[in-house]
Amino acid sequence: MITSLRLSAFALGATAVCTSPSKSSTQLFIDFDGTIVTSDAYDALATAAYATLPSNSSVLSWDEINSIYSQRADAAAAALPQPSSLASAIAYADDTSRRDVEVWSFDWVKDMGLFETAKADELVKYARNQILRSGWCAFAHRAQRNGVHINVVSLNWSPSWIRLVLQEASSCPEVVSRIDTFCPEILPRGVLPVSALNHNISLFSGGDKTALITSLLDKVPRANKQKVVFISDSDADLQPLWETPTNVGVVAGYDDSAAEAFEKYGVDVWKAREGWKGFTGEETNAVYGFEDWVEVWDLLWPSRIGKIL
């Protein structure tokens, strides 16, 4: 899949600003594809764009685009030594040559014009067909009631598309007005409603996410970042799941690539439903894992002892 831009000065001209930092002692950052949404929302964005292309369009098919992209991505990966430890797996995921392919693919497809004729009604239709991980609405409501602001940090290609999916595919569109979304924007301005909570930020690797989170936290008082929670299903996000500033790394899906990578390198995956066992990372050699968002609710705000964060 063509996903995954290093955050040197936040390319694309956007400034990272934490518009609504959590008033609690917890800062919450969540991946989108595979974590919040379990259907292929990334491909659905492209499919919606193809539906509005003129019949005489010269844009390559999605299969052709993926084939060319895969050749470049595979060549970049093959030139690197295969990981033999968690540290080398993180370096492998964030290697500059692999990230360069992601930057190139975004710019290439954008310049190709695939999304230039995208229409809101078609995007809404495909957004409504997406499937969110079970328990999302209960979790989002509970987080917001506890004063925890939700930041979605993604390698997707459109923060406005992410917002649309969260609005149209869930039974809780009311939570979306208090969620910030961060990723590069490939849709032309005005196709979807403009929101100050949509951030056109160059994210093309897990390392980019770590840099973004670090930047956002710089303006947050120390008392409000006792727990920095990052949640993702993907081994592209090993760095923000494992390294500082994150101190509560949570993997979505025990059979997904992040959980499998941690287990491969001897890291314990604590079950979130069993409750709080401590901070994650190198000191404890552990991360948390879950399938249903209610399990993360149980981890962060266990009802038996009330609000702990």
Side-chain angles (χ1 to χ4, degrees):
M1 182 173 74
I2 308 176
T3 53
S4 198
L5 265 196
R6 188 166 303 256
L7 285 174
S8 52
F10 299 110
L12 295 184
T15 301
V17 177
C18 195
T19 57
S20 304
S22 295
K23 296 177 182 178
S24 77
S25 60
T26 297
Q27 300 297 320
L28 181 60
F29 303 92
I30 308 176
D31 174 53
F32 180 66
D33 293 281
T35 304
I36 298 175
V37 63
T38 54
S39 55
D40 199 339
Y42 172 79
D43 276 0
L45 172 61
T47 304
Y50 276 105
T52 55
L53 282 176
S55 58
N56 62 347
S57 171
S58 60
V59 171
L60 299 177
S61 72
W62 196 236
D63 285 343
E64 290 172 317
I65 288 172
N66 270 297
S67 177
I68 294 169
Y69 160 78
S70 295
Q71 291 174 23
R72 291 209 178 196
D74 291 348
L80 299 173
Q82 289 302 299
S84 57
S85 65
L86 181 57
S88 61
I90 291 172
Y92 178 83
D94 294 333
D95 187 85
T96 302
S97 64
R98 299 187 70 196
R99 182 185 175 278
D100 287 347
V101 174
E102 306 304 331
V103 176
W104 164 81
S105 67
F106 178 86
D107 292 339
W108 174 52
V109 175
K110 186 174 185 178
D111 292 344
M112 193 182 298
L114 170 57
F115 295 91
E116 286 302 310
T117 61
K119 299 291 188 295
D121 55 351
E122 202 69 31
L123 291 163
V124 167
K125 181 174 72 175
Y126 281 91
R128 287 175 178 166
N129 290 333
Q130 302 312 301
I131 300 169
L132 304 189
R133 184 178 293 274
S134 178
W136 166 252
C137 284
F139 172 80
H141 275 298
R142 188 63 177 261
Q144 291 179 345
R145 282 200 300 269
N146 279 271
V148 177
H149 186 75
I150 298 172
N151 300 282
V152 177
V153 292
S154 176
L155 304 185
N156 199 288
W157 278 2
S158 171
S160 56
W161 165 249
I162 290 174
R163 183 170 305 281
L164 184 67
V165 171
L166 293 176
Q167 289 170 334
E168 297 294 334
S170 78
S171 60
C172 55
E174 65 279 1
V175 305
V176 182
S177 63
R178 290 182 285 163
I179 294 176
D180 279 79
T181 59
F182 299 85
C183 71
E185 179 62 84
I186 204 164
L187 291 174
R189 185 174 178 84
V191 173
L192 291 176
V194 174
S195 169
L197 300 180
N198 293 341
H199 304 277
N200 181 9
I201 296 291
S202 299
L203 297 179
F204 288 81
S205 70
D208 290 352
K209 292 186 181 184
T210 299
L212 171 64
I213 293 168
T214 301
S215 176
L216 294 175
L217 291 176
D218 281 346
K219 296 188 174 83
V220 177
R222 180 175 296 183
N224 293 86
K225 52 185 177 184
Q226 294 175 25
K227 291 183 173 67
V228 178
V229 183
F230 180 79
I231 305 173
S232 176
D233 72 303
S234 174
D235 60 1
D237 288 337
L238 290 178
Q239 187 187 79
L241 281 164
W242 186 248
E243 298 183 2
T244 56
T246 300
N247 57 19
V248 184
V250 187
V251 297
Y254 294 107
D255 295 327
D256 288 323
S257 62
E260 289 181 347
F262 281 121
E263 289 174 341
K264 177 180 179 180
Y265 298 115
V267 174
D268 292 331
V269 180
W270 293 333
K271 290 180 168 54
R273 66 172 181 265
E274 295 176 357
W276 181 257
K277 296 183 179 182
F279 292 107
T280 63
E282 193 168 353
E283 270 194 35
T284 54
N285 194 46
V287 293
Y288 291 98
F290 76 103
E291 294 288 352
D292 188 300
W293 280 104
V294 173
E295 299 169 42
V296 188
W297 166 351
D298 290 341
L299 169 67
L300 300 180
W301 309 289
S303 57
R304 65 183 180 274
I305 61 173
K307 185 175 74 173
I308 64 170
L309 302 182

